[in-house]
């Protein structure tokens, strides 16, 4: 897998763009280094790896995901989570929640959380629903804002399988936060579910208007 890592590195370095590299780093407040690969170019470079790698054994793939996550350039983190998503339904086992959590709390920013929580966590909790509530309890009680945001966004892509009462319960446990990324996530959830359940969401907002942040209300009401 270390050879594969170097092959990915070589592919990314062959297309690096110094001007975009700085722009992308500035956009993320200087938290990550970049090769300056815009999404279409990065996806094209990643395509052969994402096509062939899922054939490898689980242990090797999880090692590669970990190695990719340890790299400083953000493009490595993107291909790592995209690879994880391709193999998650087939490979995830109950004990792998700790691995997902380790990715959430390292190299954390909205761009990885907004992939890992609604996509990888969704697959995991679809397979192991009995693990959800205890993990959410842990996240809500945590000082880590990205775990808190993840406990909300794991609901985002549930569609017809959404547990809306539990989503509301989780939201109410996090209202009162002054953290932008928490209040934005609450608004995002409410906005998303207002598309199919406008009356339910509108009633929730009205009932808890005094508790919800202005940001959450504004975001959640966009389609109402």
């Amino acid at each position: 897998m270390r050879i594969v890592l170097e092959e990915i590195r070589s592919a990314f370095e062959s297309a690096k763009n110094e001007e975009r590299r700085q722009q992308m780093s500035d956009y993320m407040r200087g938290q990550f280094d970049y090769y300056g690969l815009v999404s279409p170019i990065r996806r094209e470079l990643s395509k052969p790896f994402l096509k062939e790698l899922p054939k490898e054994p689980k242990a090797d793939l999880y090692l590669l995901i970990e190695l990719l996550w340890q790299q400083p350039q953000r493009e490595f983190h993107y291909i790592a989570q995209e690879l994880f998503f391709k193999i998650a339904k087939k490979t995830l086992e109950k004990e792998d929640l700790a691995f997902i959590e380790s990715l959430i709390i390292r190299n954390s920013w909205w761009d990885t959380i907004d992939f890992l929580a609604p996509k990888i966590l969704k697959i995991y909790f679809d397979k192991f629903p009995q693990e959800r509530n205890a993990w959410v309890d842990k996240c809500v009680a945590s000082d880590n804002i990205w775990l808190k945001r993840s406990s909300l966004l794991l609901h985002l892509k549930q569609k017809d399988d959404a547990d809306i009462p539990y989503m509301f319960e989780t939201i109410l446990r996090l209202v009162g936060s002054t953290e932008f990324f928490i209040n934005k996530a609450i608004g995002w959830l409410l906005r998303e579910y207002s598309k199919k359940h406008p009356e339910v969401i509108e009633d929730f907002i009205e009932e808890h208007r005094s508790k919800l942040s202005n940001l959450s209300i504004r975001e959640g009401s966009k389609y109402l």
Side-chain angles (χ1 to χ4, degrees), residues 132-144:
R132 184 193 66 179
N133 292 15
W135 191 79
V136 169
D137 288 347
K138 172 183 173 180
C139 291
V140 168
S142 170
D143 292 331
N144 187 300

Side-chain angles (χ1 to χ4, degrees), residues 7-25:
E7 290 173 348
I8 295 171
R9 190 191 312 279
S10 178
F12 285 170
E13 288 184 347
S14 70
K16 64 183 177 182
N17 183 303
E18 286 298 322
E19 182 179 354
R20 289 200 190 101
R21 172 178 175 268
Q22 190 58 50
Q23 292 171 351
M24 294 167 85
S25 181

Side-chain angles (χ1 to χ4, degrees), residues 101-112:
E101 183 177 323
S102 78
L103 300 180
I104 289 172
I105 64 177
R106 292 179 293 147
N107 299 317
S108 308
W109 200 240
W110 62 264
D111 53 339
T112 51

Side-chain angles (χ1 to χ4, degrees), residues 72-111:
Q73 289 85 5
R74 197 58 161 169
E75 288 90 347
F76 287 115
H77 309 156
Y78 296 152
I79 192 173
Q81 63 187 17
E82 288 160 3
L83 174 60
F84 200 177
F85 182 60
K86 284 186 72 74
I87 65 174
K89 284 185 180 179
K90 183 178 178 181
T91 63
L92 277 174
E93 300 175 76
K94 187 179 292 187
E95 61 269 22
D96 291 328
L97 183 57
F99 182 57
I100 301 171
E101 183 177 323
S102 78
L103 300 180
I104 289 172
I105 64 177
R106 292 179 293 147
N107 299 317
S108 308
W109 200 240
W110 62 264
D111 53 339

Side-chain angles (χ1 to χ4, degrees), residues 44-192:
E44 190 63 29
L45 294 170
S46 301
K47 191 181 297 183
F49 297 102
L50 295 176
K51 180 180 179 180
E52 295 299 324
L53 281 170
K55 302 172 186 176
E56 299 296 326
K58 173 185 172 176
D60 290 344
L61 292 170
Y62 279 43
L63 171 60
L64 178 59
I65 291 168
E66 174 61 30
L67 291 171
L68 290 164
W69 215 255
Q70 293 173 7
Q71 306 309 305
Q73 289 85 5
R74 197 58 161 169
E75 288 90 347
F76 287 115
H77 309 156
Y78 296 152
I79 192 173
Q81 63 187 17
E82 288 160 3
L83 174 60
F84 200 177
F85 182 60
K86 284 186 72 74
I87 65 174
K89 284 185 180 179
K90 183 178 178 181
T91 63
L92 277 174
E93 300 175 76
K94 187 179 292 187
E95 61 269 22
D96 291 328
L97 183 57
F99 182 57
I100 301 171
E101 183 177 323
S102 78
L103 300 180
I104 289 172
I105 64 177
R106 292 179 293 147
N107 299 317
S108 308
W109 200 240
W110 62 264
D111 53 339
T112 51
I113 301 306
D114 295 2
F115 188 102
L116 294 169
K119 293 188 175 183
I120 307 297
L121 281 176
K122 178 187 184 303
I123 294 171
Y124 180 87
F125 289 123
D126 282 350
K127 293 183 76 171
F128 307 106
Q130 69 277 10
E131 301 296 311
R132 184 193 66 179
N133 292 15
W135 191 79
V136 169
D137 288 347
K138 172 183 173 180
C139 291
V140 168
S142 170
D143 292 331
N144 187 300
I145 65 166
W146 303 112
L147 287 175
K148 292 178 185 290
R149 184 173 169 97
S150 297
S151 73
L152 293 164
L153 294 186
L154 64 86
H155 295 280
L156 190 64
K157 302 294 184 180
Q158 296 290 344
K159 298 183 180 179
D160 292 337
D161 295 326
D163 185 346
I164 292 179
Y166 188 71
M167 180 184 78
F168 285 162
E169 178 186 327
T170 307
I171 288 173
L172 291 174
R173 294 170 70 184
L174 290 169
V175 293
S177 173
T178 58
E179 174 53 56
F180 171 85
F181 288 107
I182 303 302
N183 292 323
K184 184 77 170 182
I186 290 171
W188 190 8
L189 279 180
L190 295 174
R191 184 181 74 219
E192 184 66 20

